[in-house]
Amino acid sequence: MSAIGATRRRRMPRHWAAALIAAGALAVTACASPPPAAPVPPPSDPASAVDCSAEWDVGWGAIPADFEPVAVYVCDPVLELAPSVDPPLVLADPEIIDEPPPPPAEPDPAPAPAPATPRLLEGDLPALLAAFAVPNDPKWPGPCSAIGVVVPDVWLVDADGWAIRPAYPVDGCGLPKPGVTDALAEFTPAD
């Protein structure tokens, strides 16, 4: 084989290597395109009063630009519906173990839960408003955890008594960012 043939054999792998590097650079560039813009929720519609019985998917939105809150109310159904403490366990008397059990009592119908009562909170209102103003993250293109998160139902009320229900800023998987709950942790009940 001549020297030219040997040179061509050495150059072919270099050409392939250059082509593979170029293809890899193109693939990385294509994958590095910016994610889609984060969705911005529409402004929340003002209500005439705080409504703790409102459905969870109704009324949440951005704080309107012309809305100036002066009070914060929280409807927390998790705290309102917490079960009472179970009675202490009573051990069976060995003498009555051989007796047949009494007939079961007719179960009482479960009462319908009362709606949560709005609680007025006092604290750093500008810090809470700043936490609500954080933009949503762009939708994450990868997999997300299949979990649910329960957050307090926050209502902001203006000087005229109109109430809005601001939407929590969310991460790329649609989960609430911790800023609002961190700001709420600094509030205390006014009652």
Side-chain angles (χ1 to χ4, degrees):
M1 189 172 274
S2 70
I4 295 173
T7 305
R8 283 189 184 161
R9 270 195 248 152
R10 281 189 226 138
R11 286 189 186 170
M12 286 300 278
R14 288 183 189 159
H15 290 296
W16 280 105
L20 288 175
I21 290 172
L26 181 63
V28 168
T29 304
C31 291
S33 62
V40 177
S44 179
D45 291 328
S48 59
V50 174
D51 183 7
C52 289
S53 65
E55 295 293 326
W56 278 89
D57 58 349
V58 174
W60 281 30
I63 299 172
D66 59 346
F67 190 83
E68 296 180 21
V70 296
V72 178
Y73 285 85
V74 174
C75 302
D76 197 342
V78 174
L79 294 178
E80 298 290 332
L81 299 176
S84 60
V85 178
D86 289 335
L89 181 65
V90 178
L91 298 176
D93 184 1
E95 294 176 6
I96 62 169
I97 289 180
D98 293 335
E99 296 177 16
E106 288 293 319
D108 292 331
T117 305
R119 291 180 294 163
L120 176 63
L121 300 180
E122 293 176 342
D124 188 4
L125 186 57
L128 181 64
L129 295 177
F132 273 117
V134 171
N136 291 340
D137 289 347
K139 178 144 177 52
W140 173 248
C144 291
S145 299
I147 60 171
V149 177
V150 177
V151 292
D153 189 9
V154 177
W155 289 79
L156 302 175
V157 179
D158 70 3
D160 296 327
W162 289 97
I164 64 164
R165 193 180 197 186
Y168 281 70
V170 295
D171 64 14
C173 288
L175 296 174
K177 291 184 177 183
V180 172
T181 52
D182 291 346
L184 281 173
E186 302 299 319
F187 279 71
T188 56
D191 309 310

